[in-house]
Amino acid sequence: YGPLSVRSPDGTVSFVDPRYYHQRVYDDAVPSMIAAQWGINSFRQPLKWEGGTYIADGYGNCYYSQGVYSYGGTSQSKIPQYQKEYLGCDTNIVMKPLEDEGTTHSDMFAKLTSKNTMLIGSYKSSQDPGNKAVLDDDEAIVEAATLNDGGKVTVVRIPMPSNSNRQ
């Protein structure tokens, strides 16, 4: 529930404050409170989502999971517009969330290590056949995407920990 920091073309740093769970009023207030304390502009994004589902490369290419479609509080068609307006996302790459993982956060299975390299977890069929398929699909989604400069992303797979109890 912390702020997402952005930098405008003139170098000014601001915070983007997505909406957080309505029942967690104090958590939802944190980004704007920090901005006020530090004298930083804060912009309230009308999208409900948690930062753990958002990954950006700093060049206008943004990754997030389909979970934002369920929890975003807006139509799926408005999400790219809000991502562009508030976070500078020219390219939106939408991955599948893990099965039976309540947050739908993409940081549970993916990490961008450079503009053109992303780590994505890997399950064996014997560990978790459903999430093996999800992560294989995510690899295909990321590798099929074209970044806004025409570049591509290489996916490196890493083993995921056992998920025998699906928690």
Side-chain angles (χ1 to χ4, degrees), residues 43-148:
F43 301 98
R44 184 74 158 164
Q45 188 183 39
L47 187 59
K48 295 177 190 171
W49 70 322
E50 302 165 4
T53 195
Y54 173 71
I55 301 170
D57 68 2
Y59 297 97
N61 301 294
C62 302
Y63 304 79
Y64 45 93
S65 87
Q66 294 169 346
V68 77
Y69 297 156
S70 301
Y71 302 117
T74 190
S75 69
Q76 185 174 333
S77 63
K78 286 212 175 262
I79 293 170
Q81 173 190 338
Y82 291 150
Q83 296 298 75
K84 173 69 176 164
E85 289 175 8
Y86 288 86
L87 297 168
C89 300
D90 296 315
T91 302
N92 294 274
I93 301 160
V94 184
M95 300 177 288
K96 295 179 176 183
L98 292 171
E99 293 180 349
D100 298 325
E101 192 287 305
T103 69
T104 73
H105 288 185
S106 49
D107 66 0
M108 299 295 284
F109 60 86
K111 176 68 176 169
L112 198 62
T113 62
S114 72
K115 182 179 174 198
N116 298 96
T117 306
M118 178 174 274
L119 300 177
I120 293 182
S122 177
Y123 281 111
K124 296 177 186 172
S125 291
S126 60
Q127 282 180 290
D128 189 334
N131 279 321
K132 178 193 183 321
V134 167
L135 296 178
D136 290 349
D137 288 349
D138 285 336
E139 176 182 22
I141 289 166
V142 171
E143 287 187 337
T146 300
L147 303 180
N148 58 14

Side-chain angles (χ1 to χ4, degrees), residues 1-53:
Y1 52 84
L4 300 172
S5 58
V6 294
R7 185 181 303 271
S8 66
D10 71 1
T12 303
V13 173
S14 300
F15 286 160
V16 174
D17 181 3
R19 297 190 179 283
Y20 198 58
Y21 301 114
H22 69 277
Q23 69 272 28
R24 294 179 66 174
V25 176
Y26 295 115
D27 293 339
D28 191 37
V30 167
S32 293
M33 290 172 53
I34 293 171
Q37 283 283 321
W38 293 353
I40 295 174
N41 289 328
S42 180
F43 301 98
R44 184 74 158 164
Q45 188 183 39
L47 187 59
K48 295 177 190 171
W49 70 322
E50 302 165 4
T53 195

